[in-house]
Amino acid sequence: RLRALNRLQVIFQHLKMSKQTDSAAEVLLEKKGSAGVITLNRPKALNALNLPMIQKIYPQIKTWEQDPETFLIIIKGTGGKAFCAGGDIRALTEAGKVGDKLMQDFFIGEYRLNNAVGTCKKPYVALIDGITMGGGVGVSVHGHFRVATEKTVFAMPETAIGLFPDVGGGYFLPRLSGKIGYYLALTGCRLKGRDVLKAGIATHFVESEKLPALEKDLIALKSPSKEKIADLLNSYHMKCTIDQEKKFALDEHMEKINSLFSANSMEEIVKKLKQDGSPFAMKQLETINKMSPTSLKLTLRQLREGASMSLQEVLRMEYRLSQACMKGHDFYEGVRAVLIDKDQSPKWKPAALEEVSDEFVDSCFKPLGTDDLKL
């Protein structure tokens, strides 16, 4: 009997170990040459961020920041399809339904990580090859350099699932030229390839198959300065001719985007779209009509306020909004309709913009006292 027990203990120990190595393998943190390299390694889940990954990356960035032998930080994804398609929304939904602490811990961890990227003292290079959405935007867009490729697909599709473009979206979106950021946030419009650069989200554009060589050259730099890193990225960027002649996809619509999305309220934006009546405006109207009315109102205000806030203030505001969404109806309904049942027909509550009161919107932005996000 004792031997059987011992054998069981060995098996349990082994299971525990394999579980640990599995979760450790979801993100690889390696020191290579002069660089700290973060590899998001959940290819089956399109490298979506979960809390254990966030909790490993954050302290590592802080350690490398202090390390005199680390001169830059590189972040990339595996699998060839995605850099990072977002956060682990399903886990959040499950947690929110039963009031689990994960609904606080996940957002606290994620926003602290976004802030660590935004305040990083070492040059931070994100290789955003493939799908880059939501949480993936949060761990790339606030850094010094973002390298897009012909495979990059950028979007902040949160209004479709009863959320809002968080991870510092309230900071970077209103700072894009004209009203592009408002348009991207409210419609969830996807940008591909070179358009990600032209919109001002990426800083460089390099062929996908050249990324391993670029990474190798970055790692090989001897105690590089930010300028040296920029020079290397520029040299790759200049050599890339893919889609060089192509016009920015939103070019012909920019005038409309800037006027239609400059309204002060969602109702006004909808009215302007209806009055405009062009095929482009009608298409946007159709898209907006599918989104959560509550999310649309929260998002518009988030961006308008975020335009004049620091990244830290924005993340604090977004944490308040995240907790309001976790207590509401639309997030769970959106995730059900889009990710779980996939029937694509969410029943929003309230169902119309007019029914989302200013008082309710105000309440979502209220400070949380001692529960506010501490950065």
Side-chain angles (χ1 to χ4, degrees), residues 37-93:
V37 183
I38 303 164
T39 308
L40 307 175
N41 191 33
R42 288 182 79 200
K44 282 200 182 78
L46 299 177
N47 299 323
L49 291 173
N50 59 27
L51 188 57
M53 290 163 79
I54 289 166
Q55 287 170 335
K56 288 188 180 78
I57 300 168
Y58 176 82
Q60 189 60 72
I61 288 178
K62 291 295 182 196
T63 304
W64 280 333
E65 223 177 359
Q66 300 305 318
D67 175 28
E69 298 300 303
T70 304
F71 289 89
L72 75 150
I73 296 171
I74 299 168
I75 186 167
K76 60 178 182 168
T78 52
K81 271 179 87 168
F83 163 65
C84 171
D88 201 339
I89 293 291
R90 280 176 179 232
L92 266 181
T93 319

Side-chain angles (χ1 to χ4, degrees), residues 267-314:
E267 288 88 343
E268 215 179 311
I269 289 176
V270 167
K271 195 170 133 194
K272 281 182 145 191
L273 288 167
K274 282 181 183 159
Q275 283 170 346
D276 183 276
S278 65
F280 175 75
M282 291 293 100
K283 201 174 153 222
Q284 306 323 311
L285 189 61
E286 198 186 322
T287 301
I288 280 172
N289 281 335
K290 291 187 184 131
M291 303 305 190
S292 153
T294 303
S295 290
L296 290 168
K297 286 207 166 176
L298 293 181
T299 299
L300 183 59
R301 175 151 164 200
Q302 169 206 3
L303 266 56
R304 288 172 59 89
E305 295 206 357
S308 57
M309 287 177 166
S310 69
L311 176 60
Q312 291 70 37
E313 289 167 333
V314 165

Side-chain angles (χ1 to χ4, degrees), residues 12 45 207 274 354 364:
F12 272 128
E207 219 169 318
K274 282 181 183 159
E354 294 70 33
C364 296

